Amino acid sequence: MKKFRLWAILALVVALIAVGGYAYWNHELRWRPKTITKHQAEIAKILETAGWVSPGKTGPKLYMVSFRTCPDCIRFKAEEFPLLHAANVDTRVIEIARRDLNGVPKSTPAERATVAELWLNRSWPLMEQWEDVPAEAWTAPGIAPADGDMARTAVVEAGRKLVDDLQPLLKANGINFAYPTLIWWTKDGKMRGCACERRETYRYVREELGVKAQP
């Protein structure tokens, strides 16, 4: 009987530790960004030479890979950009026009035209103008089409290649690419990143970029 009680107590302790460990992982560890230790120079070059647009802040750089109708990207921009900009973080947005998938279009002609224009001319006001209009209503007014223009089509393809190139490099660092994928540097020089699809990740990004906690 005593042995049974001992084993029962031991089993209970193990179960409590397991539950506690899972809870800590589920509420804390799983949402933390990863430190990028492999392929740093290659990743940095891909980001820096991309057609990103930014508000021109002079503080820490935050690269964000996005596409226009990505719900998680839209939410991050709406909720976090005002806080990041107030802290002088330079949000460098890399917009992508995704490839068709199994014959199903994943971008529109207006989207491809706008992505090409953003990459070529780096206009933050254009990106804001684009986002102020419902995606289905956007006609890319005054913007040259990408379709049928070899140079602009090549720019759109460069964005797609950026995603292709980043995926294995980030995976080697434990990051599974998704939209939005965020990459930044901490004050002590560490390259950090996450596929920040969930709100649970936001506070870590803010903290590491020096954004003060909100009251």
Side-chain angles (χ1 to χ4, degrees), residues 14-15 26 40 46 49 60 79 81-82 84 93 96-97 138 165 191:
V14 170
N26 189 49
Q40 287 183 338
I46 289 170
T49 58
E79 296 181 6
F81 272 21
L84 293 166
V93 180
I96 305 298
W138 177 254
D165 292 344
M191 181 187 281

Side-chain angles (χ1 to χ4, degrees), residues 54-120:
S54 89
K57 301 293 183 178
T58 58
K61 300 176 181 66
L62 169 67
Y63 288 93
M64 174 181 180
V65 185
S66 172
F67 67 91
R68 172 62 183 87
T69 55
C70 160
D72 299 319
C73 306
I74 293 169
R75 184 180 66 240
F76 186 87
K77 289 178 179 178
E79 296 181 6
E80 299 301 309
F81 272 21
L83 302 174
L84 293 166
H85 294 164
N88 205 32
V89 174
D90 194 33
T91 51
R92 298 186 169 189
V93 180
I94 302 170
E95 290 287 351
I96 305 298
R98 297 170 299 160
R99 291 189 182 93
D100 296 352
L101 181 63
N102 297 326
V104 178
K106 291 295 182 179
S107 67
T108 65
E111 181 178 358
R112 293 189 290 275
T114 307
V115 166
E117 181 69 17
L118 289 173
W119 274 62
L120 289 169

Side-chain angles (χ1 to χ4, degrees), residues 68 123-134 138 140-141 143:
R68 172 62 183 87
S123 173
W124 183 264
L126 173 59
M127 191 186 74
E128 291 185 313
Q129 181 186 356
W130 186 21
E131 292 174 349
D132 284 341
V133 177
W138 177 254
I143 299 174

Side-chain angles (χ1 to χ4, degrees), residues 36 43 47 62-67 70 72-73 76 92-94 162-163 166-167 170 175-184 192-197 205:
I36 297 173
I43 293 169
L47 297 172
L62 169 67
Y63 288 93
M64 174 181 180
V65 185
S66 172
F67 67 91
C70 160
D72 299 319
C73 306
F76 186 87
R92 298 186 169 189
V93 180
I94 302 170
L162 174 145
V163 174
L166 278 180
Q167 285 178 335
L170 293 177
I175 301 171
N176 291 318
F177 183 92
Y179 293 99
T181 285
L182 306 177
I183 299 174
W184 64 97
R192 298 277 279 169
C194 68
C196 296
E197 301 168 278
V205 178

